[in-house]
Amino acid sequence: MLKRLGYVALCVCAPLYATPHIDNDRLQQLANTQFWISLGHYETAKLGGWRSYVDDPKFFLAANGAHDPAAELSATLDAIYAPVSSNDTLAQNSHAQCVYPARTRWLRDQLQLTDLPAVDCKEFKQWFKDVAPDSAVLIFPAAYLNSPSSMFGHTLLRIDQADVQTNHTALLSYAINFGAYIEGMDNSILYAWKGLMGGYPGLFALVPYQEKLSEYRSLENRDLWEYRLNLTHEETGRMVEHVWELKQIRFSYFFFDENCSYRLLELLQVARPGLNLTQHFPLTAIPTDTVRAVKDAGLVERTDYRPSRERELLSRAAPLENEEQQWVLKVSADQKQLQNNDYLALPKERRALIQDAAYRLERYRANGLERDTERSQRSFELLRAINQNPPPPLDIARPGLTEDGHESRTWQLGAGSRDDKGFAEYGLRMAYHDLNDNAYGFPLGAQIEILQLKLRQYEGNHWQVQQFDLATIRSLTPRNALLQPWSWQVSGGLERVLGKHEDETLVSHVNGGGGGTWQLTDDMLGFALGTVRIEHNADFAALVSPAAGFNTGLLWRNPLGNLSLEAKGDYFTNGEVRRSISLNQQWELSRNLGLRLSAQREYSQLASPINEVMLEMKWYHY
């Protein structure tokens, strides 16, 4: 309202300009074009009509602009024809032509407007000149499982100037980022929960790319993939003009759909009218899937890879023997060890590797910490040693692209036997990977499953809900001599357990745990975690019953696919003891098709042991 009143106030002592009369049919035609719909971030409302994803009333010029694209277009026409005092800089920068440059350009081109008031948008022009948009790069910081808020990855856009590729000055570019606006110090778990529930507003921001690169590569230890887009100079400029229009404009932010990736797809639709990227994501917009959609639309002309500092450190330390890795720890902690006779007795080329690994370890440990004089001195001494005895260039193998792996949604069809009873099992998982799924593009030991339902049909047409998981997340990151990350897991939902009447009881539960994972061979991990569980079970007297337990096993990436062997135990405070041992082997039939053999034996104080075997087909399909 204040914005609209401001335009009226600008009429004082200013020449008058008449808004051209536009036929209603022509006005409606323009309002229904894909580009105008994209500029307003409109979608078809569930009960008909339109609604905008924008939650901020100051974005709209019409009172009902959030639900009426035609009314907003008409109000925009009136606003860009509003007179303005020629000698008032503040008033000119507040004029609609300056606040909405993308709208103004489009309407001027569509309606051949030649009599618009002359407005000098100094603030916008300087901003646009500083950004100097010429081309765009889609940036995908890969998932980082040790942070729940980063477990699905992220996307942002880098805006490059004309000479970036020639002069290799990408660090001087700007990045367009959409994210949750967080006030206070919410931890990662609370962030993930509020993100799921829409507890944060979302904002666009244009920031120096170097800041985002440092944040994702260093502070969160995430690999970065850079997808150079084939947007033209004009298309990139149009997109950046619209980002100006979205400055400090609030959207709803939801972790699974109205998130960073979905909003960036909308920007690409502004850049190139005719793209229909968002229509592929009616329910969820997982970053990996949106990257795949951008590639499928033919927008990507080149892909570059930037490894994280953690990956660089581990790659440098990989050829070192155990004793040499101990020298890395010693040299990193105390540079006097560089003059140790035992150290100097090592071959020169081995010392070069040790010193470089020690420097990388020191910088890795400094991530996120304030500058420290002593630490800086240690780094300087290590750099001097490296200059005197340089190591060979670091050659890091490029991992598989996650978007080239299996798709996110999974349909499951299985047949098996539970003791002497045959059954069929039908399942749907919304997202997106477990420990045994097709491996390409995913790290061994990573599991993120969201909203999984499994129904069973036993002989005699007896149906039951076998499992309903809200979320199951496991991060089994191996420990080594240099880095000691904790492994962890958390899950919650409904599942069937052995009951006291020789049947199965559907219980609700929340459980989690932590421990360690170790790299046994190049393709095998061993893990051991302590766990806790809280369960509501109709067979128990208490409303909720706690338990402590364990979860240990092996993961093996083999020529057929992924194999897991696990043992679990839960020891309840009411005396119930529940244990199981399971084996799962997946055969990777194709990128989006897998065949899994599962076998398990379950034990309970309440019932006799049960054996179950199932053969299951998995179809990964978005």
Side-chain angles (χ1 to χ4, degrees):
M1 178 62 73
L2 290 176
K3 183 183 293 186
R4 292 195 294 274
L5 291 174
Y7 293 140
V8 174
L10 294 177
C11 296
V12 179
C13 300
L16 299 178
Y17 296 87
T19 304
H21 174 73
I22 307 298
D23 181 81
N24 285 337
D25 290 341
R26 175 59 172 155
L27 188 72
Q28 191 64 54
Q29 179 189 21
L30 288 173
N32 289 336
T33 60
Q34 187 60 49
F35 187 69
W36 184 255
I37 297 302
S38 297
L39 284 179
H41 297 265
Y42 294 105
E43 68 156 357
T44 304
K46 291 180 174 59
L47 299 179
W50 297 95
R51 81 167 186 98
S52 175
Y53 286 116
V54 179
D55 286 338
D56 202 327
K58 69 174 178 283
F59 178 72
F60 301 101
L61 295 171
N64 60 336
H67 302 280
D68 191 340
E72 184 65 15
L73 191 150
S74 179
T76 302
L77 267 175
D78 291 339
I80 64 177
Y81 269 94
V84 61
S85 175
S86 60
N87 57 3
D88 189 339
T89 301
L90 179 61
Q92 294 210 21
N93 283 325
S94 300
H95 194 274
Q97 292 185 39
C98 303
V99 176
Y100 302 103
R103 295 191 193 186
T104 302
R105 179 191 295 271
W106 183 73
L107 287 171
R108 186 173 59 234
D109 292 344
Q110 293 296 312
L111 297 173
Q112 300 298 306
L113 304 178
T114 59
D115 57 344
L116 282 170
V119 183
D120 186 9
C121 303
K122 291 183 179 179
E123 186 178 341
F124 166 71
K125 288 178 179 178
Q126 185 60 51
W127 177 87
F128 196 83
K129 180 181 177 181
D130 291 341
V131 178
D134 180 72
S135 59
V137 180
L138 177 66
I139 308 296
F140 177 41
Y144 181 54
L145 286 178
N146 275 354
S147 171
S149 63
S150 305
M151 61 190 177
F152 280 102
H154 181 61
T155 54
L156 60 153
L157 286 168
R158 190 181 80 212
I159 304 301
D160 285 350
Q161 294 79 34
D163 59 353
V164 161
Q165 295 191 68
T166 303
N167 298 333
H168 305 288
T169 54
L171 292 180
L172 302 180
S173 297
Y174 286 87
I176 300 172
N177 185 67
F178 179 83
Y181 177 68
I182 304 171
E183 295 180 300
M185 298 295 291
D186 291 350
N187 60 42
S188 293
I189 299 294
L190 183 58
Y191 169 82
W193 173 253
K194 292 177 73 172
L196 287 171
M197 298 295 105
Y200 295 117
L203 292 173
F204 279 98
L206 188 76
V207 297
Y209 178 59
Q210 189 171 11
E211 290 183 12
K212 301 305 293 183
L213 184 64
S214 175
E215 176 184 341
Y216 289 119
R217 275 189 75 229
S218 302
L219 299 185
E220 294 190 356
N221 300 303
R222 298 163 74 174
D223 292 340
L224 262 73
W225 295 95
E226 300 180 345
Y227 303 87
R228 177 157 292 280
L229 305 179
N230 57 19
L231 296 181
T232 65
H233 171 82
E234 179 185 2
E235 290 171 333
T236 306
R238 183 162 52 228
M239 180 171 63
V240 172
E241 285 179 343
H242 184 53
V243 171
W244 172 267
E245 297 178 342
L246 298 174
K247 187 172 58 175
Q248 298 302 311
I249 297 297
R250 296 193 172 206
F251 291 74
S252 294
Y253 180 89
F254 290 92
F255 195 59
F256 282 128
D257 52 2
E258 297 179 35
N259 55 22
C260 60
S261 295
Y262 191 87
R263 294 278 91 89
L264 293 187
L265 294 183
E266 290 183 315
L267 288 187
L268 293 176
Q269 291 175 165
V270 169
R272 182 172 292 176
L275 289 175
N276 290 305
L277 299 172
T278 55
Q279 70 177 3
H280 302 294
F281 304 99
L283 296 176
T284 60
I286 294 173
T288 301
D289 294 325
T290 62
V291 170
R292 187 182 295 118
V294 170
K295 293 179 73 173
D296 291 345
L299 287 168
V300 176
E301 64 181 29
R302 193 181 78 229
T303 303
D304 296 317
Y305 169 62
R306 289 179 182 264
S308 67
R309 285 190 176 181
E310 180 179 299
R311 189 180 290 271
E312 289 175 341
L313 168 61
L314 295 177
S315 297
R316 177 55 82 197
L320 299 177
E321 303 292 339
N322 289 336
E323 183 179 351
E324 293 171 325
Q325 293 196 11
Q326 292 304 313
W327 275 114
V328 172
L329 295 172
K330 293 176 184 178
V331 169
S332 175
D334 181 9
Q335 281 66 60
K336 293 179 181 179
Q337 295 293 331
L338 293 170
Q339 307 306 319
N340 186 302
N341 290 332
D342 291 337
Y343 178 71
L344 293 173
L346 296 173
K348 182 179 180 180
E349 62 274 10
R350 305 306 291 178
R351 281 187 279 126
L353 295 176
I354 291 170
Q355 291 162 181
D356 189 49
Y359 173 75
R360 294 179 186 277
L361 177 60
E362 187 66 20
R363 301 314 302 158
Y364 174 87
R365 288 172 170 171
N367 285 341
L369 301 179
E370 294 184 4
R371 182 176 176 83
D372 179 82
T373 303
E374 184 178 344
R375 183 182 298 111
S376 298
Q377 183 62 33
R378 289 200 302 268
S379 297
F380 175 76
E381 295 293 338
L382 287 169
L383 275 177
R384 185 161 59 180
I386 291 170
N387 289 334
Q388 294 171 355
N389 182 18
L394 186 58
D395 184 19
I396 298 179
R398 177 166 152 162
L401 291 163
T402 304
E403 69 270 16
D404 289 342
H406 68 76
E407 298 193 29
S408 298
R409 195 164 299 151
T410 309
W411 300 89
Q412 305 162 63
L413 174 62
S417 172
R418 186 171 176 84
D419 267 3
D420 58 348
K421 296 185 294 184
F423 65 83
E425 184 168 284
Y426 314 92
L428 171 63
R429 182 184 65 191
M430 297 302 291
Y432 85 126
H433 184 78
D434 70 18
L435 298 180
N436 294 95
D437 279 326
N438 289 359
Y440 186 86
F442 294 89
L444 185 62
Q447 177 170 341
I448 306 174
E449 295 186 286
I450 305 294
L451 295 179
Q452 177 168 230
L453 174 65
K454 292 185 177 181
L455 302 175
R456 277 196 181 174
Q457 180 185 16
Y458 280 97
E459 296 173 359
N461 202 32
H462 170 65
W463 289 78
Q464 68 180 32
V465 174
Q466 187 67 20
Q467 181 178 337
F468 177 65
D469 289 337
L470 296 175
T472 300
I473 305 167
R474 306 177 80 179
S475 175
L476 305 178
T477 308
R479 301 163 71 88
N480 54 59
L482 303 183
L483 303 178
Q484 304 287 318
W486 288 102
S487 294
W488 59 275
Q489 63 184 33
V490 62
S491 64
L494 305 175
E495 67 177 358
R496 294 278 173 182
V497 300
L498 294 177
K500 64 183 180 181
H501 302 297
E502 297 296 325
D503 60 0
E504 293 178 290
T505 303
L506 187 66
V507 304
S508 56
H509 70 96
V510 175
N511 64 76
T517 300
W518 296 267
Q519 192 92 41
L520 305 181
T521 68
D522 289 344
D523 297 314
M524 184 178 292
L525 301 179
F527 63 93
L529 288 79
T531 61
V532 293
R533 179 182 177 97
I534 298 176
E535 178 176 300
H536 170 67
N537 189 328
D539 288 341
F540 295 164
L543 180 64
V544 293
S545 300
F550 66 89
N551 184 190
T552 185
L554 296 172
L555 300 176
W556 176 35
R557 183 161 288 175
N558 55 70
L560 296 177
N562 284 334
L563 179 144
S564 65
L565 176 63
E566 288 191 66
K568 300 178 183 179
D570 290 308
Y571 299 83
F572 288 84
T573 55
N574 61 13
E576 161 69 338
V577 177
R578 191 182 300 146
R579 292 167 292 149
S580 68
I581 184 169
S582 61
L583 173 71
N584 294 274
Q585 169 68 58
Q586 175 129 334
W587 285 269
E588 299 184 6
L589 304 181
S590 67
R591 172 195 167 201
N592 285 315
L593 200 63
L595 183 65
R596 183 176 301 183
L597 176 64
S598 303
Q600 66 178 359
R601 184 171 175 84
E602 302 172 44
Y603 303 87
S604 171
Q605 296 284 87
L606 301 179
S608 302
I610 295 289
N611 296 317
E612 179 177 302
V613 179
M614 179 170 62
L615 189 63
E616 185 178 26
M617 183 69 72
K618 288 182 170 285
W619 178 36
Y620 307 97
H621 169 71
Y622 186 80

